[in-house]
Amino acid sequence: MSVVLEFKPPARPKPARRGKKIWRHPTKEYVRAEAEYEIAKDGAPNVYTSYLMLHGVYPSPQQATAMGLRLGRRVRADDGQHYPPKSKAEKLHDKKVRERQKEAARIYDGVLRVQSAIQYVASIQAAPEEIAAYLSQERPALGDSDAIERNLDVAIDRLQRFAAVWRAKHPIKLDV
């Protein structure tokens, strides 16, 4: 009786999703160095750092979840993710923080643009009539005259509104 052995090649790992980092298992030296850093930062070893020092590898997701719950924070598991996973409330909080940061960045960008515009316009030495005459000669290398016409009224309106608000909050003091 002959036995037929069937060879099956190992299954190929699924490719990582687009934009997701591929987890590479670090060396034992790296894991232990991370544990030493954590101990120095916290001031004393804990369950997680003791595990890293003893085994030289990250814990499994189940072990990481238990350790994270005990420590009250997230810890890295051997699959490269942090456990325990974030709750819906934590994800919602993170989303709100990102939205506030995005709004603050949008306002800061506006502040920088207004400062630059005012400084550049104030530093122009040529007369406005000369600049307008020069630009009206249809010089394509200098800019798009259609864009100037489209945006000029909006720019003037916004600068006037900015000036009114600025002067209301910062009145000019006259020395008598």
Side-chain angles (χ1 to χ4, degrees), residues 51-65:
Y51 183 92
L52 296 180
M53 292 298 286
L54 180 66
H55 300 287
V57 294
Y58 292 110
S60 69
Q62 295 82 10
Q63 292 170 325
T65 298

Side-chain angles (χ1 to χ4, degrees), residues 122-137:
S123 68
I124 295 173
Q125 295 181 359
E129 297 80 16
E130 294 173 329
I131 295 171
Y134 197 80
L135 285 173
S136 65
Q137 295 174 3

Side-chain angles (χ1 to χ4, degrees), residues 31-176:
V31 173
R32 288 191 173 117
E34 184 179 337
E36 289 174 2
Y37 171 77
E38 290 278 333
I39 291 169
K41 186 174 74 171
D42 295 342
N46 57 39
V47 176
Y48 179 62
T49 55
S50 298
Y51 183 92
L52 296 180
M53 292 298 286
L54 180 66
H55 300 287
V57 294
Y58 292 110
S60 69
Q62 295 82 10
Q63 292 170 325
T65 298
M67 290 177 197
L69 289 172
R70 183 167 179 191
L71 294 173
R73 64 182 179 99
R74 285 174 190 65
V75 296
R76 185 183 301 248
D78 62 1
D79 64 356
Q81 296 182 6
H82 289 80
Y83 290 89
K86 290 184 178 182
S87 67
K88 286 183 181 179
E90 290 171 320
K91 289 179 184 177
L92 181 63
H93 176 266
D94 289 350
K95 183 178 179 182
K96 288 180 180 178
V97 167
R98 284 192 305 273
E99 288 171 357
R100 283 195 303 266
Q101 289 172 342
K102 191 174 182 179
E103 180 66 15
R106 185 186 67 79
I107 292 170
Y108 186 69
D109 180 59
V111 167
L112 294 179
R113 288 174 185 260
V114 166
Q115 285 179 335
S116 297
I118 291 171
Q119 289 172 355
Y120 287 138
V121 171
S123 68
I124 295 173
Q125 295 181 359
E129 297 80 16
E130 294 173 329
I131 295 171
Y134 197 80
L135 285 173
S136 65
Q137 295 174 3
E138 295 297 327
R139 299 179 189 266
L142 295 177
D144 185 8
S145 61
D146 293 336
I148 293 173
E149 286 182 31
R150 277 194 314 268
N151 296 322
L152 187 61
D153 291 332
V154 173
I156 290 171
D157 178 58
R158 288 191 179 197
L159 279 173
Q160 286 176 342
R161 286 172 37 205
F162 172 78
V165 171
W166 181 265
R167 288 184 178 135
K169 290 187 176 185
H170 305 282
I172 298 173
K173 297 177 184 174
L174 300 174
D175 293 332
V176 180

